[in-house]
Amino acid sequence: MTQPPPPPPQQPPQGGGFGPPQDQPPQPPPPAAGPNLGKAPEPGYGYPQAPQAPQEPPPAAPQAPPTPPQGYGYPQGAPAPQPPAPQGPPGYGYPGQQPGAYGQPQQAPYGQPGYGQQPGYGYPQQPTMPYQPQAGQPGGGKKLNAQVLIIVAAVVAIALIIGGGVWYASSGKDEGKQNDTAGQSGGTGGTDDDNGGTTSGKEKAPSDPSAKVLFQVPAPEVKNDSTVVVSGSWLTDKAYVKSGIAQIVGYDRDKGSELWKLPLSGPVCQASRHVTDDNLTAILYQPAMPTKADPSHGCSQIALIDLDAGKRLWTKTVKTGDQLINFDNITLSGKTVAVGSTSGGAAFDVSGKLLWSPKPTDSCYDAGYGGGEKLVAVRKCGSYDQRQLHIQTIDPKSGKVISEYKMTEGIEYASIVSTNPLVVAADVGDSAGDGSGISDFFSIDSKTGKLRTRISAPGEQFAARCEGITRVEACNLLAVGNDRLYLPTEEHDGTGKYSQTNEIVAFDLATGKQTGQRADAGDGYTISPLRMDGGNLIAYKRPPYDKGGQVVSIAGGSFKQTTLLQNPANESVRDVETSMSPEYSEFLYAEGHLYMSKVYASKRSTVREKEYLAVGFGTG
């Protein structure tokens, strides 16, 4: 995975933000010891290897969907750097890792047009060809040549930055109503076992984990070869809620029947993964539907949504001078809705009261926020070549800075993985090399702003991903709980012919060292964290070509796996499941129900293939 780093983006406007930089202690010590799985990890999917011809042709596997173009319905408010044009054959798609609700890429800053260029209607791009997985290899080929892998990395980067986001949700009103990948602290209840952590969780294994398809929501019709953002999905006690084209719809959790529909004036740009105790959440959307003449109206509309009633409680905008600010990201912490952009950050109380907004006199700006149990800002100061990021834990009501950690100068982007405990990811020196946006994790004391430890996570060994360029909370394939960071390894050869597999390992956030805990996916499966459940870890296993996927609970101490859900193995169901990759989709699991959904809607490639916006599976 050898993606070259993007060229420096245009210097964003100065101004905005709410808190001045503060003095901080000296910079962090060298990174803690890097990953060590007991043996050198075999190169995983996407790692340059010598191509090998199989001795016999493997069975056919479902084709991964092509990367959707950025165009109709995609917000154009914050362009991002474009990588050098790849050499050799055109790219073939992106690696699929877990079954995701869409199998479509989430974000793509690298695929956006260069600065100073305005993408046209439908956003023409360099041609790409869909990637055809080799049989027996869920979500990816087994051996790929280096030239093709350069293209993969470029397309993966595009997928990670276009927008939409992938996240995994906690159930009902658990964990402070968080719908997020990292899972935050994961709860404190339960009894400690011999290996640390708690063994309690609210998700219980059913007497029979065999699941069936509960419902399928057809993909909405899209015109003119365009791609429309349909980001956002939530789960309440009453409904499964999903964004459509310029609308949000509540569905019955078991039947999929429509409970309510909330029309919007334009497409959803971004959606908060967090939900309040009374099932309120926040979204960004466009004020009007894009047209060929005007492919984007900007993401200026901030709305609070009641997920139980299916109502928009209010819509707000923020101006700098006479111009509306187009925001890049949105989050929610407690009763505060916070939005960030290159023009600075703003926040509203759930009552609709403005709490803070960009200040023209500020020399730094809040690029974005991480929400959940606490509110953390990524504040940018300085020019591109002398950038310094300030990671600030702030009071959600006043915006007052509680603590601050200053990252080393030159780190341009950072992502908030978790706010409690505070964990930040960054690609230091553009060294990840795989388009993941992660070379290191920083464990920070949110009370003092001091660095606890730094964890090296080489891209060729670990599969977690963060966008970080515009959406500072857009991390997936990882979880935080029990004061530990849970990461999946990259895919590597399994024991069967043509098979691939991987593991989840744990890092101590106090020492930066691996705990020795390891959860194997099983031959032919790939495993990724979804979220915390108390002291346990909920994970999804993307299946091989002849089986259905699984949801498992991994005990926080012993790492013993318990199967919570087993999807059908028949081909038609498996094709739908594997069309949705956890890397580029939204997954929600609770109480024996697994929901997968897409974050993009596009014109169907063929009339023969049925495509779905969302699919629900359930046990019992």
Side-chain angles (χ1 to χ4, degrees):
M1 304 175 77
T2 56
Q3 157 111 14
Q10 180 176 336
Q11 175 61 29
Q14 299 298 317
F18 52 82
Q22 301 178 355
D23 293 335
Q24 277 299 308
Q27 288 303 313
N36 180 5
L37 306 181
K39 65 182 181 70
E42 300 180 44
Y45 174 79
Y47 186 87
Q49 304 178 20
Q52 295 182 359
Q55 297 179 358
E56 60 185 47
Q63 179 172 334
T67 303
Q70 173 188 354
Y72 180 81
Y74 180 77
Q76 305 297 334
Q82 183 174 3
Q87 301 299 315
Y92 54 73
Y94 52 82
Q97 257 199 329
Q98 288 174 293
Y102 339 152
Q104 295 192 18
Q106 296 287 300
Q107 301 187 210
Y110 299 104
Q112 295 184 19
Y115 281 81
Q117 300 176 0
Q118 178 66 29
Y121 179 81
Y123 185 54
Q125 297 181 345
Q126 295 179 0
T128 59
M129 295 184 295
Y131 165 58
Q132 175 69 49
Q134 297 188 24
Q137 304 173 26
K142 183 175 181 181
K143 300 289 184 181
L144 303 173
N145 63 49
Q147 185 181 42
V148 172
L149 283 161
I150 292 175
I151 312 304
V152 177
V155 177
V156 169
I158 292 173
L160 284 172
I161 305 167
I162 280 182
V166 180
W167 55 83
Y168 307 96
S170 59
S171 63
K173 298 187 178 183
D174 302 349
E175 311 303 332
K177 296 298 294 181
Q178 298 165 33
N179 284 330
D180 69 69
T181 301
Q184 307 293 330
S185 62
T188 57
T191 304
D192 291 340
D193 61 17
D194 295 338
N195 296 312
T198 60
T199 57
S200 67
K202 295 185 178 181
E203 301 294 350
K204 305 301 180 183
S207 56
D208 182 3
S210 299
K212 62 181 179 180
V213 178
L214 298 177
F215 62 85
Q216 296 168 326
V217 179
E221 182 179 355
V222 179
K223 301 177 181 179
N224 303 317
D225 295 321
S226 57
T227 298
V228 182
V229 176
V230 289
S231 173
S233 61
W234 306 267
L235 191 60
T236 74
D237 296 336
K238 301 176 181 179
Y240 168 67
V241 183
K242 175 61 188 166
S243 294
I245 297 180
Q247 65 179 11
I248 299 176
V249 182
Y251 300 94
D252 183 280
R253 288 175 42 147
D254 294 307
K255 301 175 183 178
S257 54
E258 189 175 301
L259 301 178
W260 52 261
K261 180 184 295 183
L262 174 61
L264 300 170
S265 57
V268 173
C269 304
Q270 304 294 341
S272 172
R273 63 184 59 177
H274 306 289
V275 179
T276 66
D277 291 335
D278 51 353
N279 288 328
L280 305 181
T281 194
I283 63 169
L284 284 171
Y285 68 98
Q286 296 189 44
M289 287 299 295
T291 63
K292 184 173 183 179
D294 192 351
S296 174
H297 296 281
C299 298
S300 59
Q301 309 297 299
I302 308 162
L304 186 71
I305 307 298
D306 185 330
L307 296 173
D308 284 334
K311 295 181 179 179
R312 181 176 51 189
L313 301 183
W314 50 254
T315 298
K316 303 291 182 179
T317 59
V318 181
K319 290 184 177 181
T320 174
D322 295 330
Q323 298 295 317
L324 287 176
I325 295 177
N326 292 320
F327 291 100
D328 301 319
N329 54 78
I330 188 167
T331 195
L332 191 151
S333 179
K335 300 293 185 180
T336 298
V337 175
V339 286
S341 74
T342 54
S343 295
F348 294 85
D349 184 81
V350 291
S351 67
K353 176 185 176 182
L354 179 65
L355 299 177
W356 67 80
S357 60
K359 299 177 177 65
T361 57
D362 283 350
S363 59
C364 303
Y365 67 94
D366 292 342
Y369 303 92
E373 293 184 24
K374 296 187 178 182
L375 186 62
V376 176
V378 175
R379 188 168 176 82
K380 293 193 174 187
C381 299
S383 60
Y384 176 81
D385 55 351
Q386 293 182 317
R387 178 80 71 204
Q388 186 169 46
L389 302 183
H390 299 199
I391 309 301
Q392 298 178 332
T393 298
I394 60 180
D395 184 328
K397 295 182 179 180
S398 66
K400 179 182 177 181
V401 177
I402 298 171
S403 68
E404 181 179 70
Y405 171 71
K406 294 180 181 179
M407 302 191 77
T408 303
E409 286 190 12
I411 298 177
E412 178 68 12
Y413 306 109
S415 299
I416 306 297
V417 176
S418 168
T419 60
N420 186 31
L422 179 51
V423 180
V424 174
D427 186 358
V428 180
D430 297 319
S431 59
D434 63 347
S436 67
I438 304 170
S439 66
D440 297 83
F441 292 93
F442 298 79
S443 174
I444 301 167
D445 187 324
S446 62
K447 294 181 179 179
T448 65
K450 294 182 179 180
L451 183 71
R452 299 176 67 198
T453 190
R454 178 173 167 179
I455 300 170
S456 175
E460 69 271 16
Q461 295 185 36
F462 297 103
R465 294 187 173 277
C466 290
E467 190 251 287
I469 292 181
T470 58
R471 301 171 56 247
V472 302
E473 250 187 334
C475 293
N476 67 320
L477 308 182
L478 77 177
V480 172
N482 302 319
D483 206 34
R484 293 169 183 174
L485 170 66
Y486 299 100
L487 297 178
T489 64
E490 287 283 4
E491 294 181 37
H492 56 79
D493 289 344
T495 57
K497 183 178 289 188
Y498 313 122
S499 71
Q500 295 275 285
T501 190
N502 76 327
E503 304 79 31
I504 291 175
V505 296
F507 289 85
D508 189 307
L509 290 175
T511 66
K513 297 180 180 179
Q514 285 196 40
T515 64
Q517 296 165 308
R518 174 175 174 149
D520 293 326
D523 201 42
Y525 289 89
T526 6
I527 189 170
S528 295
L530 297 186
R531 62 172 176 87
M532 298 304 299
D533 172 36
N536 298 337
L537 175 65
I538 304 297
Y540 173 79
K541 291 185 176 181
R542 181 174 174 85
Y545 68 92
D546 58 348
K547 297 179 181 178
Q550 298 178 349
V551 175
V552 298
S553 176
I554 302 172
S558 66
F559 252 42
K560 178 182 177 181
Q561 297 184 38
T562 300
T563 301
L564 301 178
L565 179 144
Q566 170 70 61
N567 278 339
N570 61 314
E571 183 178 0
S572 61
V573 175
R574 191 177 64 250
D575 286 350
V576 174
E577 178 179 6
T578 56
S579 73
M580 301 189 182
S581 160
E583 279 185 289
Y584 311 114
S585 310
E586 295 169 350
F587 276 48
L588 304 170
Y589 175 82
E591 301 171 339
H593 292 65
L594 173 64
Y595 304 92
M596 304 175 176
S597 63
K598 295 185 178 181
V599 294
Y600 288 101
S602 57
K603 189 172 182 179
R604 299 175 185 178
S605 56
T606 70
V607 295
R608 293 175 301 166
E609 298 176 359
K610 290 184 178 180
E611 295 188 8
Y612 299 96
L613 175 67
V615 58
F617 298 92
T619 60

